[in-house]
Amino acid sequence: MNLYGRDFLKLLDYTPQEIEYLVDLAAELKEKKKKHILHDELRGRNIALIFEKTSTRTRCAFEVAAHDLGMGSTYLNPTDSQIGKKESIADTARVLAGMFDGIEYRGFEQEIVETIAKYSKVPVWNGLTNEFHPTQMLADLLTIREHFGHLKGIHVVYMGDARYNTGNSLMVVCAKMGMKFTAVSNKKYFPSQELVDTCMEIAEKTGATIDFSEDAIKGTKGADVIYTDIWVSMGEPDSIWEERIKDLEPYRVTMDIMNNAGDGCVFMHCLPSFHDLNTGIGKEIKEKYGLDEMEVTDEVFESERSLVFEEAENRMHTIKAVMLATLKEA
């Protein structure tokens, strides 16, 4: 499999075989990491990390992965970069491509990372946009395969707001890998019809199924994985909270929901999570809306059925695989 020089912008751009290759490579690199086997195959390379949206896991994953591969990394936060402000996206891409061997972008519209890739002569990786979150999906696939031993036919249920990056990307990756995907939510929070149609076409070729339900009990019955995310995304106004809570509270992941799915069902979340009052936002939610928990109960989050921290660690291994595959000549 030769992915040298490829961008990694969304999983719609990759075949099931290419996605499986990246998961396999991530598993191999994870084993080397655990055994303290050096794998600094990209010594002397340097990458730029553009973060218009901050993140703990994505930044740490890219920086540690780069270091393990022997690369240097330069972090550009919203105040460090002039992208789209004093300098156009196209010009920024060409400047950075002349200094770095790869560029990561985490921020807003998918169009931005696509534009960076268009004008960059080096690989560009999507750390998250409003529409897609492909590096998270590779981590999820690795986590699911580690737990169940396979991917084909695994039933993933996404509960909550499925219109944005995580819900969209889960639907895409399930379609690509022959898995079962169900979005369980108020129907106004389902993915766009255009993306649904695209995934349905893919599913016809891979044997995947794509379903939607507004009934939390019916929709989660028989699920292998129940997945959720925060109800309000970074950058959205406070005025959105009340509406989202009213609409999505029936779709909180509780132990009753997990038990309804079945004894073998596991819980996943891309983090951060508002499952208790140990964050500033958690305390604000309690004060304004009287809620101790949001998208998932603390009982589920802290249970043995939760894979959230294995999933978080796997971000680093799968991001490392993407960088190695796209920067190392075959």
Side-chain angles (χ1 to χ4, degrees):
M1 188 70 67
N2 184 7
L3 302 181
Y4 175 68
R6 290 273 297 274
D7 298 316
F8 189 73
L9 309 180
K10 57 185 183 299
L11 289 177
L12 287 170
D13 301 332
Y14 279 69
T15 67
Q17 294 76 23
E18 289 169 338
I19 294 169
E20 187 172 21
Y21 167 75
L22 289 170
V23 176
D24 288 342
L25 180 57
E28 178 186 328
L29 292 169
K30 181 174 182 177
E31 184 177 6
K32 288 182 177 180
K33 176 83 169 176
K34 297 297 183 183
K35 292 181 177 179
H36 306 292
I37 299 172
L38 282 177
H39 45 283
D40 52 346
E41 300 175 50
L42 298 176
R43 288 186 304 276
R45 308 287 186 92
N46 290 280
I47 62 170
L49 306 175
I50 304 172
F51 278 70
E52 292 196 297
K53 287 185 179 180
T54 57
S55 169
T56 300
R57 281 151 303 283
T58 304
R59 178 180 177 179
C60 291
F62 268 99
E63 290 190 344
V64 173
H67 181 271
D68 285 352
L69 292 170
M71 297 193 291
S73 61
T74 298
Y75 174 76
L76 300 170
N77 67 29
T79 60
D80 292 335
S81 171
Q82 297 299 335
I83 185 169
K85 305 182 193 87
K86 292 183 179 179
E87 187 168 59
S88 71
I89 296 167
D91 289 354
T92 299
R94 286 177 284 194
V95 167
L96 294 179
M99 300 180 183
F100 295 94
D101 299 285
I103 302 168
E104 179 270 353
Y105 173 82
R106 177 184 172 92
F108 298 94
E109 291 80 12
Q110 180 73 14
E111 182 182 1
I112 297 174
V113 75
E114 300 276 354
T115 301
I116 294 171
K118 177 180 178 181
Y119 288 96
S120 170
K121 62 185 179 182
V122 301
V124 174
W125 311 298
N126 180 359
L128 173 143
T129 62
N130 292 343
E131 294 87 350
F132 295 109
H133 200 355
T135 59
Q136 179 66 52
M137 294 306 105
L138 291 183
D140 295 340
L141 290 181
L142 179 58
T143 306
I144 290 169
R145 196 175 72 176
E146 287 174 339
H147 185 80
F148 291 100
H150 64 99
L151 295 173
K152 190 82 171 179
I154 291 293
H155 186 188
V156 178
V157 172
Y158 184 86
M159 297 186 71
D161 192 344
R163 300 170 299 170
Y164 298 122
N165 44 52
T166 303
N168 285 345
S169 297
L170 272 175
M171 181 170 66
V172 169
V173 81
C174 286
K176 287 275 185 178
M177 304 311 291
M179 301 163 72
K180 299 178 181 179
F181 173 83
T182 304
V184 175
S185 187
N186 181 306
K187 64 183 177 181
K188 72 181 185 182
Y189 296 98
F190 291 162
S192 71
Q193 191 59 51
E194 181 181 5
L195 185 59
V196 170
D197 291 342
T198 298
C199 289
M200 290 288 195
E201 291 178 11
I202 296 169
E204 288 180 5
K205 301 174 184 177
T206 64
T209 61
I210 309 294
D211 293 308
F212 305 91
S213 177
E214 290 189 271
D215 189 314
I217 298 300
K218 290 181 180 179
T220 57
K221 192 70 177 177
D224 297 303
V225 178
I226 292 182
Y227 199 123
T228 192
D229 194 3
I230 55 176
W231 290 343
V232 179
S233 298
M234 188 183 304
E236 292 189 280
D238 291 344
S239 58
I240 295 293
W241 281 103
E242 188 170 358
E243 178 187 5
R244 293 282 171 82
I245 289 171
K246 179 181 178 182
D247 290 341
L248 297 177
E249 199 168 0
Y251 304 101
R252 175 183 290 121
V253 182
T254 65
M255 196 55 78
D256 285 342
I257 289 292
M258 297 295 296
N259 291 335
N260 176 70
D263 293 340
C265 181
V266 296
F267 173 72
M268 296 178 70
H269 192 305
C270 60
L271 302 181
S273 171
F274 302 134
H275 59 95
D276 57 25
L277 302 178
N278 294 327
T279 63
I281 293 178
K283 292 174 182 175
E284 287 182 27
I285 293 167
K286 173 68 172 179
E287 292 173 4
K288 291 181 179 179
Y289 307 107
L291 298 177
D292 294 326
E293 305 155 315
M294 284 285 284
E295 73 280 1
V296 59
T297 64
D298 194 58
E299 181 185 17
V300 171
F301 188 90
E302 296 291 354
S303 73
E304 293 183 355
R305 301 171 77 170
S306 175
L307 301 181
V308 296
F309 296 111
E310 292 89 337
E311 187 183 0
E313 178 193 333
N314 282 338
R315 290 292 305 284
M316 189 266 291
H317 304 298
T318 47
I319 282 171
K320 188 186 298 182
V322 170
M323 293 197 294
L324 182 59
T326 56
L327 291 180
K328 183 181 178 182
E329 294 188 54

